Amino acid sequence: MSSSISHVLISLLLFVLLHEPTLAIKQSYIVYLGSHSFGPNPSSFDFELATNSHYDILASYVGSTEKAKEAIFYSYNRYINGFAAILDEEEAAQLSKHPNVVSVFLNKKYELHTTRSWGFLGLERGGEFSKDSLWKKSLGKDIIIGNLDTGVWPESKSFSDEGFGLIPKKWRGICQVTKGNPDNFHCNRKLIGARYFFKGFLANPYRAKNVSLHSARDSEGHGSHTLSTAGGNFVANASVFGNGNGTASGGSPKARVAAYKVCWDGCYDADILAGFEAAISDGVDVLSVSLGSGGLAQEYSQNSISIGSFHAVANNIIVVASGGNSGPVPSTVSNLEPWTLTVAASTIDRDFTSYVILGNKKILKGASLSELELPPHKLYPLISAADVKFDHVSAEDALFCNHGALDPHKAKGKILVCLRGDSNRVDKGVEASRVGAIGMILANDKGSGGEIIDDAHVLPASHVSFKDGDLIFKYVNNTKSPVAYITRVKTQLGVKASPSIAAFSSRGPNRLDPSILKPDITAPGVNIIAAYSEAISPTENSYDKRRTPFITMSGTSMSCPHVAGLVGLLKSIHPDWSPAAIKSAIMTTATTKNNIGGHVLDSSQEEATPNAYGAGHVRPNLAADPGLVYDLNITDYLNFLCGRGYNSSQLKLFYGRSYTCPKSFNLIDFNYPAITVPDIKIGQPLNVTRTVTNVGSPSKYRVLIQAPAELLVSVNPRRLNFKKKGEKREFKVTLTLKKGTTYKTDYVFGKLVWNDGKHQVGTPIAIKYPH
């Protein structure tokens, strides 16, 4: 080919490339329009009109109604106003300028809050649900608990309807099954409803391709675990491979339950919103939401959980959400809305213990749920996993016991010491077993501290703390022929210095709005026994053929449904209480003491703070009779949004009717059951106002102040006199940071307690020191 012809062809090719129209990248978006302007009893005609209005709005940007119908894959037309659609970036940007649009945001992926993804149910032991308590009269009867999660295993005994009567008339939901019901899914008088939502998942072009859709059946175990923790029926002789044997039950064992499967390979905004809308429409009383954004601080109008929970609370549904598993790093807590009840995770007073016995006769306590045990009366060679690496593999990879890093010739017949992190805890044991190790010791990294977790390992194994792991590594590295033994697992009850805050539990302060304390509360979230899916093995690996009806899991995913179950009980006993009143009752009666009378610790054995546990560890019996509550309603939440910078036009859409922001509103005066001040000047008094409502008998309260040395706290008035139930009283708290004090931490903490001799109404105080 001649040079001139080549130049012509190249010029033509460049011309085509330069003038070829760029194809706009299509992605899935949520277009949020706020609330509907329906009356109290909307009809199917109203819903149809709402959907048509969505088509009309989008048609003006995509060219026709037909194209709008093709683009929209969800129309939220009942309690939430908006739609999910496939759009390009320009279309999304133009839509955001529409006068009826509150926000437009990408259909993001959320995560489940269980540590597995990378005992007694209710509240573990400890007598919290005592036989003579108010709970015996209730057990959550007539309450409907909904769960946004991975679905449910309906055959589990936790969802047996034995002893249940007719389904409540207030229930408006369905049991959704595919035509022909190929997987034999069913509901009953206990599990009264199930739905599944996957269109948001399908809209992600990078999704997993081998996921089974069209069923609310739980193929992961997470949804069954969380739902049974919140509202599972009584199940006698429940255990995990014979460990922890006893009667299992959810926090509200007589509640009806409903599953909303919104998570597949992750949980997407569009499906989460669809789940919220269905749950509101179906008539649930409580929603348990064990998922979140993984520590990302997203504005409320850009977050499906924020939007869905706002509309749920507006319809008198209490929403309980997990705080996340990104701890102990500060400012990682998620689900930051003031209208949700956000839960941290703490340990319980029951361990599944497996001891490590070293050749130097040191005995170290570990945790495990391995079914296997080493032959007794013998010590076995002990080696660091870093020393069994292939020559071409880094010592770090081998130390984490990552797949393909370990040399079978060096590992065979030995107990390997693997370091926690980088890969799944159980997968490390799987790899150790694959290369011929006879056992595994899993040692914590420094960040995990003293938090040890029992897992159903495939070989004899024990999970030890960072401190004990350090001792083991020193023994291995300084001994010519190190040996060890791992004892069989035993259930240990009455563990002292419980609860403590889990290392993984996400910490505050609140990155989105530091004037709102988050998390709100802590509850059991470590090594929790609950129902499991028999579609999957305990290790979640296909070659593991074991199946178990109950399993332990850890995470704020597990602590969240504990509190949801408690909320169900409170709602059953006090049906007239608002969501905020129930939240307040749980927070103001919480404790910051452990079972030996000391302060609750974190995994590093330091005293934990409200940024880790919120108001403290939940105490169900006291929450039933709190004395006073900090109440809030939708108007208060709208004022809060005004303080966040939302204008009246946005709030009209948000609320579905006209709303005028108050001329002056200070976020520190928002009537939250905690006082958090992120901006204070040293030496200058700051006034904070709160209002409490009497929900008990006539009584006289006096204030008790627990203040750190750096902080002056005064309250006016110091006494509150209530003559009848429902009466409200306002008080003012004056806070002053002392001059000339050296502050070792970013925050100082205190507590204000109203006491009438019977009730102690606690309010945590958190003050950020100005740097």
Side-chain angles (χ1 to χ4, degrees), residues 541-683:
N541 289 302
S542 59
Y543 57 79
D544 185 355
K545 303 305 180 185
R546 295 176 299 169
R547 295 295 183 268
T548 177
F550 290 91
I551 198 67
T552 61
M553 287 190 183
S554 297
T556 55
S557 277
M558 285 65 250
S559 57
C560 167
H562 275 84
V563 177
L566 168 57
V567 166
L569 294 170
L570 287 171
K571 183 75 173 176
S572 181
I573 296 168
H574 302 291
D576 58 329
W577 283 11
S578 69
I582 289 177
K583 176 177 178 174
S584 173
I586 292 171
M587 290 179 66
T588 60
T589 57
T591 182
T592 58
K593 300 293 184 182
N594 58 30
N595 59 2
I596 57 174
H599 195 90
V600 169
L601 304 177
D602 62 24
S603 59
S604 65
Q605 300 303 298
E606 300 291 329
E607 284 194 5
T609 74
N611 281 335
Y613 55 63
H617 195 272
V618 63
R619 291 197 287 183
N621 284 337
L622 296 183
D625 182 21
L628 306 175
V629 297
Y630 295 89
D631 209 355
L632 292 162
N633 56 34
I634 289 298
T635 299
D636 296 306
Y637 295 130
L638 292 173
N639 288 342
F640 168 82
L641 292 173
C642 290
R644 288 279 308 160
Y646 288 68
N647 60 42
S648 295
S649 298
Q650 289 174 303
L651 293 180
K652 179 181 178 181
L653 297 172
F654 219 97
Y655 191 36
R657 64 196 72 172
S658 296
Y659 190 80
T660 302
C661 286
K663 291 182 179 179
S664 62
F665 179 80
N666 194 332
L667 287 176
I668 66 169
D669 291 329
F670 182 64
N671 204 40
Y672 211 65
I675 296 172
T676 309
V677 182
D679 185 17
I680 190 171
K681 292 181 172 59
I682 296 174

Side-chain angles (χ1 to χ4, degrees), residues 309-331:
S309 59
F310 177 86
H311 289 279
V313 170
N315 285 277
N316 204 36
I317 299 168
I318 304 126
V319 180
V320 185
S322 50
N325 299 340
S326 300
V329 179
S331 298

Side-chain angles (χ1 to χ4, degrees), residues 14-73:
L14 287 172
F15 177 84
V16 170
L17 290 173
L18 290 171
H19 292 80
E20 179 74 21
T22 303
L23 292 176
I25 297 173
K26 297 279 188 177
Q27 297 184 83
S28 52
Y29 288 85
I30 312 299
V31 180
Y32 177 51
L33 303 167
S35 296
H36 296 284
S37 54
F38 299 146
N41 297 301
S43 65
S44 58
F45 180 69
D46 293 318
F47 303 148
E48 185 179 352
L49 284 177
T51 296
N52 287 335
S53 73
H54 298 159
Y55 294 148
D56 291 342
I57 289 173
L58 186 56
S60 60
Y61 296 93
V62 298
S64 70
T65 301
E66 288 70 26
K67 289 183 179 180
K69 288 181 178 180
E70 290 175 5
I72 292 176
F73 58 90

Side-chain angles (χ1 to χ4, degrees), residues 74-191:
Y74 278 128
S75 173
Y76 309 111
N77 60 7
R78 293 172 179 260
Y79 293 88
I80 299 169
N81 191 3
F83 56 89
I86 305 297
L87 307 168
D88 63 39
E89 190 173 352
E90 178 62 23
E91 290 165 346
Q94 291 302 316
L95 265 168
S96 66
K97 300 174 184 177
H98 191 283
N100 292 341
V101 170
V102 177
S103 61
V104 177
F105 56 95
L106 280 169
N107 176 33
K108 302 177 298 297
K109 183 178 180 179
Y110 291 67
E111 61 185 25
L112 297 167
H113 283 161
T114 173
T115 62
R116 293 192 58 182
S117 59
W118 146 193
F120 162 74
L121 307 186
L123 285 137
E124 295 278 345
R125 299 184 80 263
E128 287 288 4
F129 291 115
S130 59
K131 292 180 180 178
D132 59 347
S133 73
L134 289 170
W135 307 130
K136 191 175 180 181
K137 301 176 183 178
S138 164
L139 298 178
K141 186 179 179 182
D142 298 327
I143 295 299
I144 302 172
I145 299 176
N147 192 41
L148 268 62
D149 212 300
T150 65
V152 63
W153 189 258
E155 292 82 5
S156 170
K157 290 182 179 179
S158 291
F159 308 117
S160 165
D161 63 0
E162 183 178 351
F164 282 79
L166 296 175
I167 293 172
K169 292 182 179 179
K170 65 181 179 180
W171 176 246
R172 302 183 295 272
I174 62 170
C175 188
Q176 185 180 4
V177 296
T178 310
K179 184 178 181 181
N181 198 11
D183 68 347
N184 196 31
F185 189 90
H186 62 275
C187 298
N188 57 28
R189 295 189 304 273
K190 170 68 173 179
L191 176 63

Side-chain angles (χ1 to χ4, degrees), residues 210-230:
N210 58 344
V211 178
S212 298
L213 305 174
H214 302 288
S215 176
R217 184 173 289 281
D218 180 14
S219 59
E220 297 185 23
H222 190 276
S224 302
H225 199 283
T226 54
L227 186 55
S228 65
T229 302

Side-chain angles (χ1 to χ4, degrees), residues 351-544:
D351 284 344
F352 296 118
T353 301
S354 174
Y355 290 96
V356 173
I357 302 172
L358 300 178
N360 60 9
K361 298 185 178 181
K362 288 189 180 294
I363 301 175
L364 307 172
K365 181 181 176 180
S368 182
L369 271 174
S370 173
E371 295 178 85
L372 303 175
E373 58 179 305
L374 293 171
H377 313 302
K378 181 182 177 181
L379 296 174
Y380 296 86
L382 179 68
I383 190 168
S384 167
D387 295 327
V388 299
K389 74 181 187 69
F390 282 112
D391 292 342
H392 66 280
V393 172
S394 71
E396 182 182 30
D397 257 4
L399 189 58
F400 284 125
C401 290
N402 288 335
H403 180 71
L406 307 177
D407 186 341
H409 296 293
K410 299 175 183 178
K412 187 174 181 179
K414 298 182 176 69
I415 296 174
L416 298 190
V417 188
C418 303
L419 186 66
R420 183 178 181 180
D422 202 54
S423 59
N424 185 294
R425 299 185 303 271
V426 173
D427 286 349
K428 297 175 188 293
V430 169
E431 186 65 8
S433 177
R434 189 185 69 82
V435 297
I438 197 170
M440 178 187 72
I441 298 169
L442 176 60
N444 268 354
D445 57 358
K446 188 172 184 180
S448 299
E451 170 196 277
I452 56 177
I453 295 174
D454 49 55
D455 291 304
H457 293 285
V458 297
L459 78 172
S462 187
H463 182 181
V464 300
S465 68
F466 171 72
K467 179 181 177 183
D468 289 345
D470 190 49
L471 285 175
I472 294 170
F473 280 118
K474 286 178 179 176
Y475 167 69
V476 168
N477 293 330
N478 293 285
T479 304
K480 185 176 180 181
S481 300
V483 290
Y485 183 76
I486 300 171
T487 68
R488 68 173 298 173
V489 178
K490 290 186 177 180
T491 303
Q492 184 180 0
L493 303 177
V495 177
K496 299 301 182 185
S498 299
S500 61
I501 304 301
F504 61 75
S505 186
S506 292
R507 298 327 200 243
N510 182 334
R511 283 194 296 170
L512 185 60
D513 197 323
S515 64
I516 299 295
L517 181 69
K518 289 288 177 174
D520 294 306
I521 200 78
T522 190
V526 179
N527 301 334
I528 303 302
I529 298 176
Y532 195 54
S533 169
E534 295 189 46
I536 192 170
S537 71
T539 60
E540 302 180 6
N541 289 302
S542 59
Y543 57 79
D544 185 355

